[in-house]
Amino acid sequence: LKKILIFLQVASTVVVGKMLMVLFPEAMKRYILKQGEKSRMNQNPKFSYENWGPTFFSFQYLLFVLKVKWKRLEDEAQEGCPAPNTTVVATSGEVCHLLDFMRDNRPLILNFGSCT
């Protein structure tokens, strides 16, 4: 049910965004560039709007956003429910899942810290 609701939300956003890009291309370009400032995409001179702007609200955009949002559903921890088996990267660079570190019936302890 959650996946269906996410699909409807993302699909409606893509449809409305695509319509606005067709009807008001300059206004949408300004809006997308403003969003790019938040992520600093605009600061790379080799990465111009023409390279990435038109991909907003495309079918590939829809699929990517759905994939990310659906994956995040699996990452939500709920009290009384099993722990999420999120993807992690080991210090060796190997990509694995959190529960891969479980051993027998011993509890898994996560320790978060900073190296800086």
Side-chain angles (χ1 to χ4, degrees):
L1 183 59
K2 286 183 180 181
K3 283 188 174 185
I4 293 171
L5 292 174
I6 289 171
F7 172 77
L8 293 173
Q9 177 203 15
V10 173
S12 62
T13 301
V14 168
V15 168
V16 169
K18 189 57 124 176
M19 286 178 16
L20 290 173
M21 284 185 81
V22 170
L23 296 173
F24 309 103
E26 288 304 311
M28 286 302 288
K29 180 179 179 178
R30 285 191 305 272
Y31 172 76
I32 291 170
L33 286 171
K34 190 74 170 167
Q35 297 302 313
E37 288 175 10
K38 294 178 183 177
S39 65
R40 300 183 181 172
M41 287 181 3
N42 299 1
Q43 294 179 359
N44 184 346
K46 296 180 181 178
F47 198 55
S48 68
Y49 171 81
E50 287 71 25
N51 291 338
W52 56 269
T55 64
F56 274 70
F57 309 117
S58 65
F59 184 68
Q60 291 83 6
Y61 175 88
L62 170 75
L63 294 178
F64 176 77
V65 173
L66 284 176
K67 179 181 170 184
V68 169
K69 287 187 173 269
W70 285 348
K71 183 68 178 158
R72 287 186 180 164
L73 281 176
E74 299 169 8
D75 293 345
E76 291 181 11
Q78 305 289 332
E79 187 175 343
C81 295
N85 194 17
T86 60
T87 303
V88 294
V89 179
T91 54
S92 65
E94 177 188 359
V95 177
C96 48
H97 290 89
L98 184 64
L99 297 180
D100 293 343
F101 296 96
M102 291 287 296
R103 300 290 180 255
D104 300 320
N105 286 335
R106 295 180 5 206
L108 176 65
I109 298 172
L110 303 176
N111 186 8
F112 296 94
S114 176
C115 296
T116 59

